[in-house]
């Protein structure tokens, strides 16, 4: 290869690389994603100033904080269903006390924008190379010679003018109120009367016509944040030291949660209890949300973030109305149910069903007008039709498994719904088969449909279900966090089974 050809090849390659890089950066900075974050529809757009900026709308001040790297992000909050500014501010504070899942979601969106921009930028960068190769040396020579002519000069000017016409750098925006406002530290905005936690260092708000009432709301949010973070952090630390029954060789422990009702503060506490009890799996008996709407994705993100390294099974409760909750968990990798049993903790079979007050089971999920009793009978039919005995029946309301236990087709029915822990209770079924029913309390400490707050409204409970080598449940141990931050550890209740009588 001649020296001239080598220089030309290198020049073309460098030119293509420059085009690819410029296109990638341009596409990255102009790209955006719409996600559900902090209970809002939100638009995420990356920046290169290193700041994390949250634009809250016309009624509340915007917030920003310096990030850890050169890439920043701007979040424009959109629609939410909060009924009042007070409720919205309290929700912000509560979510901010457990921000890991929401931060990870925004980071994932920025990575997705970057990957998309890189692929598209690479494609744009290859266009000049493709044109160069398609033209061939003879045609390229003709084009270069044509540049010296008057027509070639006109073509060159047009090539420069075209991107300028598309860019239009002279078209500036009008002066706005936002441009006239300054960023000030949060402490200055609230005043010395409101003590700030150390995590608030570096947070700034944009000044504007903010009312005294808004300042009070934000001050209240700071207090809620501080109390919530301290309460649940101390509870998680204390949970790690609980004296719980440890699994013996060959046993598997599953953590049973139910009725979280958006209380993401309890997720690290539940995880700590699971670790202390040797849990390697999670059974979710539903009511993770209050209404089953997309704005509650923050709760499901938090739940998944706490247990994404464990085996996970889930059903939807009556408050998880509609397809969103169970579909979202399925997309996150949770095992959900369509009428067929699945391999469960310890290798035994688990069969689950979404609460019939939201949906049904298998190929009859779309049927309407089925009563609670009818759904229980259909569930029993599915359990008894299994070639292998069902070890765990996962439902939201344990009463849904009464017919299955009466027929002797399952070892253990687990649920929640009542917000009160009950059982385990033995049930003698057909042919002398013994099954058990167990109801977990409310993991979110919920007194009503939503459990957002600086601490649980009532005792928050989880349960540890132990399985033997054959996948059969052999015992249950409940654990409750009381509203004063202390724990009540229940005794390990063994589950024993009588062999069916011989004919």
């Amino acid at each position: 290869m001649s020296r001239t050809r080598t220089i030309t090849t290198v020049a073309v390659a460098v030119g293509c690389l420059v085009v690819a890089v410029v296109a990638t950066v341009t596409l990255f900075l102009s790209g955006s994603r719409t996600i559900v974050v902090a209970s809002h529809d939100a638009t995420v757009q990356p920046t290169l100033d290193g700041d994390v900026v949250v634009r809250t709308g016309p009624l509340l001040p915007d917030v920003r904080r310096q990030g850890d790297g050169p890439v920043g992000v701007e979040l424009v909050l959109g629609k939410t269903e909060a009924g009042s500014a007070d409720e919205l501010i309290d929700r912000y504070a509560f979510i901010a006390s457990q921000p890991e899942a929401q931060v990870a979601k925004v980071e994932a969106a920025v990575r997705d924008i970057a990957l998309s921009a890189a692929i598209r930028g690479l494609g744009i960068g290859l266009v000049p190379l493709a044109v160069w190769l398609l033209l061939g040396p003879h045609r390229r020579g003709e084009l270069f010679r044509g540049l010296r002519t008057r027509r070639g000069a006109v073509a060159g000017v047009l090539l420069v003018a075209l991107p300028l016409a598309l860019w239009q750098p002279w078209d500036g925006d009008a002066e706005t109120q936002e441009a006239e406002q300054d960023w000030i530290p949060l402490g200055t905005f609230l005043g010395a009367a409101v003590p700030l936690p150390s995590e608030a260092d570096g947070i700034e708000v944009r000044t504007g016509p903010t009312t005294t009432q808004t300042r009070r709301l934000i001050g209240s949010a700071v207090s809620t944040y501080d109390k919530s973070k301290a309460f649940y952090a101390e509870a998680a630390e204390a949970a790690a030291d609980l004296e719980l029954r440890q699994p013996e060789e060959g046993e598997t422990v599953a953590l049973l949660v139910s009725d979280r009702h958006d209380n993401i503060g309890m997720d690290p506490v539940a995880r700590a209890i699971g670790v202390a009890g040797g849990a390697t799996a999670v059974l979710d008996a539903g009511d993770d949300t209050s209404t089953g709407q997309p704005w509650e994705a923050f709760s499901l993100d938090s739940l998944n973030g706490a247990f994404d390294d464990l085996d996970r099974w889930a059903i939807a409760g009556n408050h998880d109305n509609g397809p969103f909750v169970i579909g979202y968990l399925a997309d996150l990798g949770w095992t959900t149910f369509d009428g067929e049993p699945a391999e469960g903790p310890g290798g035994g079979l688990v069969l689950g069903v979404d609460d019939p007050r939201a949906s049904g089971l298998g190929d009859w999920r779309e049927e309407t007008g089925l009563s609670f009793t009818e759904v229980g009978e259909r569930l029993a039919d599915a359990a008894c039709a299994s070639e292998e005995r069902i070890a765990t029946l996962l439902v939201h309301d344990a009463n849904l498994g009464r017919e299955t236990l009466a027929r002797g087709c399952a070892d253990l029915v687990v649920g929640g719904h009542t917000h009160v822990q009950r059982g385990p209770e033995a049930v003698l079924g057909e042919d002398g088969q013994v099954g058990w029913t167990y109801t977990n309390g409310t993991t979110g400490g919920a007194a009503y449909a939503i459990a957002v707050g600086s601490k649980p409204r009532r005792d928050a409970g989880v349960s540890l279900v132990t399985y033997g080598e054959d996948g059969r449940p052999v015992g249950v141990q409940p654990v409750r966090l009381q509203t004063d931050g202390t724990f009540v550890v229940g005794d390990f209740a063994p589950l024993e089974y009588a062999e069916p009588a011989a004919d």
Side-chain angles (χ1 to χ4, degrees), residues 58-83:
L59 298 180
L60 299 174
D62 295 339
V63 180
R64 79 172 181 183
R65 186 171 192 172
Q66 179 64 42
D68 298 327
V71 176
V73 65
E74 181 173 286
L75 284 152
V76 181
L77 302 185
K79 185 178 180 181
T80 187
E81 55 63 70

Side-chain angles (χ1 to χ4, degrees), residues 240-366:
D241 298 326
L242 293 176
E243 295 184 3
L244 304 174
R245 180 191 184 273
Q246 298 301 303
E248 299 177 358
E249 185 176 355
E251 291 183 339
T252 300
V253 177
L255 184 72
L256 174 62
V257 300
S258 70
D259 303 275
R260 292 171 57 256
H261 289 292
D262 294 323
N263 187 351
I264 61 176
M266 273 298 297
D267 291 336
V269 180
R271 175 60 193 246
I273 294 172
V275 171
T280 57
V282 178
L283 297 169
D284 180 1
D287 270 7
D288 287 305
T289 66
S290 61
T291 63
Q293 298 302 309
W295 70 267
E296 294 172 287
F298 76 91
S299 178
L300 308 178
D301 292 329
S302 176
L303 174 70
N304 187 68
F307 301 111
D308 63 351
D309 59 335
L310 305 184
D311 296 326
R312 296 156 292 162
W313 295 263
I315 56 94
N318 60 297
H319 280 279
D320 302 322
N321 291 297
F324 171 73
V325 170
I326 205 65
Y328 197 89
L329 289 175
D331 290 341
L332 291 174
W334 290 68
T335 297
T336 56
F337 301 91
D338 59 0
E340 297 294 330
E343 183 177 340
L349 289 185
V350 57
L351 177 63
V353 61
D354 298 339
D355 194 277
R357 287 156 285 197
S359 60
L361 174 70
D363 59 1
W364 46 275
R365 283 182 300 170
E366 302 304 321

